[in-house]
Amino acid sequence: NGSISSAITYAASSTLHGMRILGGSGYTVTNNYIGGSAPLATGSNATYATSAGNLAYQGILLNTSSDTLVSNIKGNTIAKINITSFPVAASSTAFIGIETDGLGINIGGKAAGEGNLVGSNNANSSIIVTTSTGTSTFTSLIWGIYCYSSGGSVIGNQVGGIDISNIGSAPAPSTFLGIYVNNAVAPSKV
């Protein structure tokens, strides 16, 4: 599967998703390519921009409501994406490669090809996040993988090749976390 796009300008306060699944359990999200102008997340970077406010992009969002059946996110590539955003509040999300919330979600795996790739492990500028702020407190958040789910595992994933810049008149800092696990009941393996 693949998601390909050319340059599009979006309204303020937009959140875009390459893939978004809400509720249920037992999902298998494998071997998808999100980004780029050509198949397999190649070609030039897909460009998503706004000049009217914050724009957020999430490659894969999986939110389960049960761990009755385990869900897996394996072997996916999120790459070749440009985001241009104008944050209007502190801690504005600009980019998340993979986000999970809920129960029983495995992100990646031990076997060859099961890990997910966000960006590139051999080239810069696979993902470019450019913010423009007029107030130095309008910070941005950039996460490769954001695991807010309970149980499961986070294994064998790669995050890299992400360029981050702020070109505003009062540049605000950005927070980048490659893999961020934020839950009291952490995955069994990270």
Side-chain angles (χ1 to χ4, degrees):
N1 296 321
S3 170
I4 301 171
S5 179
S6 59
I8 299 171
T9 300
Y10 292 90
S13 300
S14 294
T15 300
L16 312 174
H17 300 89
M19 183 179 299
R20 181 179 182 204
I21 303 169
L22 304 175
S25 65
Y27 295 103
T28 301
V29 180
T30 58
N31 302 319
N32 297 287
Y33 294 86
I34 298 172
S37 63
L40 306 179
T42 60
S44 60
N45 286 24
T47 299
Y48 305 96
T50 184
S51 59
N54 194 61
L55 175 69
Y57 187 90
Q58 296 176 322
I60 298 172
L61 169 62
L62 175 57
N63 185 333
T64 60
S65 56
S66 165
D67 63 355
T68 302
L69 298 171
V70 172
S71 294
N72 293 291
I73 302 174
K74 297 182 177 186
N76 300 287
T77 299
I78 296 111
K80 304 298 270 181
I81 296 170
N82 288 358
I83 304 294
T84 301
S85 180
F86 287 72
V88 293
S91 300
S92 295
T93 299
F95 177 84
I96 302 173
I98 298 171
E99 178 179 358
T100 62
D101 192 1
L103 305 165
I105 302 171
N106 296 316
I107 306 169
K110 292 180 183 179
E114 288 187 335
N116 298 287
L117 175 61
V118 178
S120 173
N121 57 12
N122 60 17
N124 293 331
S125 305
S126 176
I127 296 172
I128 301 170
V129 179
T130 304
T131 57
S132 182
T133 54
T135 303
S136 63
T137 58
F138 292 169
T139 56
S140 298
L141 305 173
I142 296 97
W143 294 308
I145 297 173
Y146 178 43
C147 175
Y148 193 66
S149 51
S150 298
S153 62
V154 182
I155 301 172
N157 302 289
Q158 298 180 41
V159 177
I162 300 174
D163 296 354
I164 302 166
S165 63
N166 187 306
I167 58 173
S169 60
S174 296
T175 298
F176 170 77
L177 297 168
I179 298 175
Y180 181 49
V181 178
N182 182 20
N183 200 307
V185 182
S188 61
K189 297 178 183 177
V190 177

